[in-house]
Amino acid sequence: MMSLEKYMPAWVKRIGLVTVLLIFVAGIVFWGGFNWALEATNKESFCISCHEMEENVFREYQNTVHYTNRTGVRATCPDCHVPKEWGPKMIRKIQASNEVLHKILGTIDTPEKFNKKRHELAQHEWDRMKASDSRECRNCHNYSYMDYMEQGDRPARMHPKAFDEGKTCIDCHKGIAHQLPQIDQHIGKQNEGALEISHGEKPKAAEEASEKK
């Protein structure tokens, strides 16, 4: 039988074939474990495992079209806040270590603390989405696939104009899943100093007029 030894690289001969195989198997186990942990921390159940998220932004999100809608397609926390591509995902995970630190410090562990920092937290996310050209939005809402004939008058008119001007989703669509902080925003309704999330429901005046008929 032909010996395989003469075909082995010098470094394999030096440490032994069995050792190489063990290292290879250990690498597979490590990589599998790493990916399992990565996916485990990339689920909605993990995102809302801390009460800061469950009691604040998650409750708001449950009242939006991204949570329940006629098509049954739901965008979960990681769909919007964690990139799918490997490199950007790793960068986002490293950034998230800062969030773990503030969880330990109790920076936003009460609704009062959270609302005080809401604008700052929202701005960080808006800046991230602006820098990535709303990458996570476009996982589902790719404007190259939009049929303007199927859209309402306003979006059919505004979308082409916005795209021609180089705007991205987050430039106009803030507050579609979470309560807006006190900012100037032309989409939404004023509500006691903050802006209430709007999902295209009938304006109150038009609704009342319709009921009278």
Side-chain angles (χ1 to χ4, degrees):
M1 182 179 290
M2 185 180 296
S3 174
L4 295 176
E5 189 172 340
K6 63 180 182 178
Y7 297 106
M8 293 180 185
W11 65 271
V12 173
K13 293 179 182 178
R14 192 161 51 248
I15 64 176
L17 183 60
V18 173
T19 303
V20 171
L21 291 174
L22 289 174
I23 293 173
F24 179 72
V25 172
I28 293 175
V29 172
F30 171 80
W31 188 250
F34 177 79
N35 275 285
W36 175 84
L38 192 66
E39 291 307 311
T41 60
N42 208 38
K43 294 181 178 179
E44 188 172 88
S45 56
F46 177 82
C47 296
I48 61 173
S49 60
C50 61
H51 76 273
E52 288 89 342
M53 295 296 102
E54 183 179 16
E55 297 299 320
N56 294 295
V57 290
F58 184 67
R59 288 183 180 273
E60 298 168 357
Y61 153 71
Q62 288 178 300
N63 295 317
T64 71
V65 72
H66 279 103
Y67 185 82
T68 304
N69 53 70
R70 63 181 178 81
T71 62
V73 177
R74 177 178 293 176
T76 63
C77 306
D79 289 328
C80 296
H81 296 287
V82 181
K84 294 187 182 299
E85 294 80 1
W86 178 257
K89 181 188 288 187
M90 292 301 99
I91 293 173
R92 185 71 189 93
K93 290 294 185 180
I94 293 171
Q95 292 171 340
S97 62
N98 183 58
E99 297 166 15
V100 175
L101 172 63
H102 284 283
K103 162 67 179 175
I104 297 171
L105 295 176
T107 304
I108 54 172
D109 59 356
T110 67
E112 292 75 21
K113 289 181 182 179
F114 181 84
N115 285 320
K116 189 175 181 180
K117 291 183 70 69
R118 180 185 283 271
H119 184 272
E120 178 185 344
L121 297 170
Q123 191 63 57
H124 286 323
E125 194 62 7
W126 295 338
D127 291 342
R128 183 186 70 81
M129 298 183 79
K130 177 70 172 178
S132 69
D133 191 20
S134 301
R135 175 180 50 219
E136 282 66 67
C137 298
R138 291 183 291 106
N139 286 331
C140 296
H141 303 285
N142 193 318
Y143 53 77
S144 298
Y145 308 149
M146 288 183 179
D147 184 351
Y148 300 122
M149 298 296 291
E150 295 294 326
Q151 296 183 354
D153 290 340
R154 186 184 185 193
R157 183 177 68 256
M158 297 302 296
H159 279 144
K161 180 182 177 183
F163 300 146
D164 288 342
E165 293 174 355
K167 290 185 177 180
T168 186
C169 310
I170 198 61
D171 287 320
C172 299
H173 295 287
K174 297 180 179 74
I176 57 172
H178 304 297
Q179 183 74 44
L180 279 169
Q182 297 183 37
I183 61 168
D184 290 329
Q185 171 77 1
H186 65 280
I187 296 178
K189 299 180 297 184
Q190 198 69 27
N191 181 28
E192 297 180 0
L195 287 172
E196 182 181 319
I197 297 169
S198 175
H199 301 291
E201 60 270 24
K202 293 181 181 179
K204 188 173 182 180
E207 190 173 352
E208 289 175 351
S210 177
E211 289 177 354
K212 289 179 181 178
K213 292 180 180 179

